[in-house]
Amino acid sequence: MRRRSLLIAVPAGLVTLAACGDEGSDSSKASDSASPSAPATSAPPAPKIVDGPLPAITAGTGFDEKPTVAKGSGDPSDQLAVKTAIVGNGKTVAENDFVVANYLGQIWATAKVFDNSYDRKTPIVIQLAQGSIIDGWRYALTGKKTGSRVEFSVPPTWGYGKQGNEQAGIKGDDTLVFVVDLQDTFNAKSSAKGEEVPQDDAALPKVGTNTDGKAPSIEVPRTDAPKKLVAEYVIEGDGAEVGEQDSVLVQYKGVLWDGGKEFDSTYKRKQLASFSLQQVVKGWAQGLTGKKVGSRVLIVVPPNLGYGESPPPNSGIEKDSTLVFAVDILAKL
């Protein structure tokens, strides 16, 4: 499994995508790196946001450059010290957003780096939600703009508490220092972005091309369903291609070929979905592999690549149903 950093929560309501016989999504597994995922404790009161003290960034001072951070001098604040080292002018980050970021984390007293994404050459995608990440991240990054570099210190109260994090080498009295480069942010109103692709095949469903965060329309033709998988661009983005081992962050809507009835939608739940392509029906895994981030994809899943004779209980899907999806690929995890 690809090395993961911060724990990403999997929203409820994905029963219609889970592959039959799988034991759970990749996102539900424990992280296999020494990284600051959220501890299983109740949330403390909100901290005060103060200006410092914070150690100096001594090298790698540009946005998205791996920083070198000095050891903390003196006693750290017992609140949340936050400084925007580089002010971006992009989208404003809100609580519960999924942020795309590079980051480095180290211990105040020793300057020991316990994790960073720069060496992995892959930014993380993490939801700023209670229980998904340490509270210090939620409070420090909410309200900041993409394109910003944010440095902040997190005392144990809003980090790992008195138990610390043994895997990361963090003790119960350690204050943590983070440098985070905010690349992008996504929420329930996010959509694909790219070039519209002509939908000329009258035998295939036609998908709406609106990018206002609302669910696209799906018009299913009154013809026989295709016997083979269909995976076509509706909007073609310019991001990286999705690999068969990747996890993705998406918006999607699913309807039945017969009758066009909607059976699942992130738009209706007002909550994005994240999952591994190894843990979904084969039609999704095959249909999204090779597609570009930022795209909207029409996927028509025949029964043999969907649920066949074993649809999920209470899903509204009948046996041997052909499924039609409009999927916006927002990010690769």
Side-chain angles (χ1 to χ4, degrees), residues 3-4 114 141 148 168-169 193 202 221 228 243 254 261 283-284 295 298 308 321:
R3 190 179 183 192
R4 306 285 298 277
F114 54 82
L141 298 180
S148 296
K193 51 184 179 182
K228 295 182 179 181
K261 181 180 178 181
W284 263 67
S295 300
L298 163 68
S321 291

Side-chain angles (χ1 to χ4, degrees), residues 37-51:
S37 56
T41 58
S42 58
K48 293 180 180 179
I49 305 297
V50 298
D51 293 333

Side-chain angles (χ1 to χ4, degrees), residues 48-126:
K48 293 180 180 179
I49 305 297
V50 298
D51 293 333
L54 284 167
I57 300 174
T58 58
T61 56
F63 184 79
D64 251 4
E65 294 179 355
K66 181 183 176 181
T68 300
V69 183
K71 185 169 69 172
S73 177
D75 294 329
S77 174
D78 61 357
Q79 298 297 314
L80 196 65
V82 182
K83 178 177 71 175
T84 304
I86 298 173
V87 179
N89 59 3
K91 295 178 287 185
T92 300
V93 174
E95 187 169 359
N96 295 317
D97 278 6
F98 284 82
V99 295
V100 182
N102 270 317
Y103 80 101
L104 178 141
Q106 68 182 44
I107 296 172
W108 173 282
T110 64
K112 177 186 176 183
V113 174
F114 54 82
D115 196 18
N116 85 91
S117 65
Y118 301 92
D119 289 345
R120 292 191 290 272
K121 303 186 184 304
T122 303
I124 57 148
V125 182
I126 180 68

Side-chain angles (χ1 to χ4, degrees), residues 10-21 252 263-265 269 273 275 279-281 306-307 310-317 323 325:
V10 179
L14 298 184
V15 294
T16 54
L17 293 183
C20 296
Y252 72 90
F263 60 85
D264 198 9
S265 171
R269 290 194 298 275
F275 47 80
Q279 302 295 332
V280 293
V281 294
Y307 294 106
S310 303
N314 304 314
S315 64
I317 301 173
L323 311 179
F325 293 94

Side-chain angles (χ1 to χ4, degrees), residues 9 20 33 46 65 159 166 196 200:
C20 296
S33 67
E65 294 179 355
E166 183 178 358
E196 293 185 19
D200 299 329

